[in-house]
């Protein structure tokens, strides 16, 4: 992902948490603190361990014991995590009856200001969802 364009995960996680997640996604297998430590110099081993544990408590990583070490891996891919966080955030806003209209209007404005093709895609998705719901 192009971090210069603004990472949507920055709204939910700190810079070190995002670096740790990115390192785990690149590996595509579980890793211990020791496995990751060389990628995070000069970050202290204990800081890295605390960050992994914090991400686990947030539900983003799963942990398994292997001998004396814990192995961590992401629960979801980057795309899946981004989608889950966006859905959770939007869902929380839409639970408030007075917030729904301004949220939807702001969303449409944001989409249309980025790219007209996104607006067309949104229209297609809405029509598809309506077909699914009418079945």
């Amino acid at each position: 992902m192009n971090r210069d364009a603004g990472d949507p995960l920055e709204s939910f996680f700190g810079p070190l948490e995002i670096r740790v997640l990115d390192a785990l996604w690149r590996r595509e297998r579980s890793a211990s603190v020791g496995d990751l430590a060389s990628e995070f110099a000069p970050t202290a081993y204990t800081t890295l361990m605390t960050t992994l544990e914090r991400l686990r408590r947030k539900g983003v990583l799963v942990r398994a014991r292997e001998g004396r070490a814990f192995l961590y891996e992401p629960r979801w891919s980057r795309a899946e995590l981004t989608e889950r966080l966006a859905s959770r955030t939007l869902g929380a806003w839409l639970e408030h009856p007075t917030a729904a209209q301004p949220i939807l209007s702001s969303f449409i404005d944001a989409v249309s200001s980025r790219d007209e093709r996104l607006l067309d895609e949104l229209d297609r998705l809405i029509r598809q969802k309506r077909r699914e719901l009418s079945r």
Side-chain angles (χ1 to χ4, degrees):
M1 162 157 249
N2 180 0
R3 298 292 301 271
D4 295 335
D7 187 340
L9 295 182
E10 289 175 354
S11 297
F12 300 93
F13 303 103
L16 182 57
E17 290 176 320
I18 293 172
R19 284 184 56 215
V20 166
L21 286 168
D22 283 337
L24 289 168
W25 283 317
R26 279 192 307 274
R27 288 178 155 277
E28 297 182 357
R29 66 183 185 285
S30 41
S32 68
V33 178
D35 294 333
L36 296 171
S38 64
E39 294 182 51
F40 290 88
T43 303
Y45 184 94
T46 54
T47 300
L48 185 55
M49 182 172 55
T50 300
T51 302
L52 285 160
E53 198 48 34
R54 187 180 322 119
L55 288 167
R56 185 193 66 82
R57 285 191 311 269
K58 289 180 177 182
V60 178
L61 298 181
V62 293
R63 179 181 78 178
R65 184 177 285 278
E66 183 175 282
R68 293 181 45 190
F70 285 114
L71 299 179
Y72 296 87
E73 66 181 294
R75 188 176 299 271
W76 304 284
S77 69
R78 177 181 264 279
E80 291 166 333
L81 177 59
T82 302
E83 183 178 335
R84 292 178 75 85
L85 292 170
S87 180
R88 186 179 77 189
T89 302
L90 187 57
W93 275 99
L94 294 176
E95 285 181 16
H96 302 283
T98 58
Q101 182 61 39
I103 292 295
L104 292 175
S105 294
S106 296
F107 181 74
I108 297 297
D109 289 343
V111 167
S112 61
S113 72
R114 299 283 190 287
D115 187 339
E116 192 172 324
R117 290 176 301 197
L118 287 175
L119 201 55
D120 292 338
E121 177 63 8
L122 179 59
D123 183 49
R124 184 191 71 74
L125 290 170
I126 290 170
R127 283 186 272 115
Q128 177 183 333
K129 184 56 77 174
R130 285 193 174 161
R131 284 191 301 273
E132 289 171 10
L133 293 173
S134 68
R135 291 183 187 141

